Amino acid sequence: QQYPDAEYFMFGQEDNLSNCNCDDCTAMMAQYAKNPAGLQIMFMNKVIALTNGWLAENEPGRSVKYIIYAYYGTEAAPIKTTPDGKVVPFSDYVDPVDDLYIFYTPIGANFAYQINSDKNSDVYKNLKEWSAIADGQLIMYLYDINFRNYLINFNNFGTVKGMYETCRELGVACMTSQAADSYTTCFQEMRSYVESNLMWDLSQSYDDLVLEFMSA
């Protein structure tokens, strides 16, 4: 009601690995959710059911996308593998409803390498498993920036397009990149131009877009 034009509503966790380990939560994970990420989905599915009911009655026609993190202690998807090798939600309770988006935020990835490289095997595995239960409902956060030396350019120019292609293949619907928003000597204006163009159309050449920007 306070933000009638808002399209996104996020329940975002803090930057920590702490989760509740009480008997109730532990039992719920074991029976229904598998892990804390599953508990988040169980919670949000119920919130969305109630909130969409309220919207239908009070603001009919309004569409809201709800978001939770897959971040730090919730990076692993709540999945299981069937006997025939198919990856499915751990239970019906952790199958994200259509309005729920998963913001996968792999802060530990090495963004100097492709997401599907051996250097990022855990990240790639998590992304594939999230894709199996939330295809088209994934948001990706790329930390392609040097946190320890802000004045040194993060040389991942050769991996950006490949990362985007992997995200598209695995059903990522939206993404954000911190590298283009660092306000340091990292060619940030060029990154914003080139990477935004690639996000819209991956058939373009990274090098051609760089030359186009530099020429202008």
Side-chain angles (χ1 to χ4, degrees):
Q1 287 179 307
Q2 291 179 14
Y3 303 98
D5 297 326
E7 183 181 358
Y8 296 94
F9 193 96
M10 183 169 187
F11 278 74
Q13 71 198 57
E14 296 294 336
D15 297 355
N16 62 59
L17 292 165
S18 300
N19 298 297
C20 182
N21 293 311
C22 74
D23 291 343
D24 286 344
C25 286
T26 302
M28 289 287 280
M29 280 191 284
Q31 186 171 1
Y32 303 113
K34 185 177 182 176
N35 57 27
L39 287 182
Q40 281 198 121
I41 293 173
M42 289 176 64
F43 172 71
M44 283 304 296
N45 281 348
K46 292 182 178 181
V47 168
I48 293 169
L50 293 170
T51 308
N52 281 350
W54 184 92
L55 285 171
E57 182 178 348
N58 295 277
E59 298 186 21
R62 183 177 178 184
S63 176
V64 177
K65 296 180 176 68
Y66 302 86
I67 303 172
I68 54 173
Y69 269 133
Y71 178 48
Y72 272 130
T74 59
E75 285 189 35
I79 56 91
K80 64 182 178 183
T81 304
T82 63
D84 61 355
K86 185 178 180 181
V87 175
V88 297
F90 185 74
S91 73
D92 291 341
Y93 293 91
V94 298
D95 189 4
V97 297
D98 290 344
D99 294 331
L100 182 57
Y101 285 72
I102 310 298
F103 200 173
Y104 184 44
T105 309
I107 193 169
N110 188 335
F111 291 101
Y113 295 87
Q114 299 292 357
I115 292 172
N116 59 359
S117 76
D118 292 341
K119 299 286 187 180
N120 290 312
S121 56
D122 289 345
V123 172
Y124 187 48
K125 177 178 180 292
N126 286 338
L127 184 57
K128 286 196 297 182
E129 291 176 348
W130 278 115
S131 176
I133 67 172
D135 183 30
Q137 294 168 242
L138 285 173
I139 303 172
M140 189 78 172
Y141 194 109
L142 305 179
Y143 284 100
D144 41 352
I145 184 173
N146 192 333
F147 282 113
R148 291 178 175 82
N149 295 285
Y150 282 102
L151 298 181
I152 297 177
N153 184 55
F154 188 77
N155 184 11
N156 70 325
F157 301 109
T159 62
V160 168
K161 184 173 179 178
M163 288 192 295
Y164 292 180
E165 288 171 341
T166 297
C167 289
R168 181 176 64 180
E169 290 166 7
L170 293 178
V172 173
C174 179
M175 66 169 58
T176 186
S177 169
Q178 187 159 351
D181 191 31
S182 61
Y183 302 107
T184 63
T185 54
C186 296
F187 295 104
Q188 66 267 27
E189 292 90 354
M190 185 203 76
R191 285 187 185 274
S192 293
Y193 178 80
V194 173
E195 295 178 14
S196 296
N197 270 280
L198 288 174
M199 287 179 189
W200 283 110
D201 180 6
L202 268 174
S203 69
Q204 301 179 90
S205 161
Y206 191 106
D207 291 346
D208 287 349
L209 288 169
V210 171
L211 291 172
E212 186 176 297
F213 176 86
M214 292 300 184
S215 297

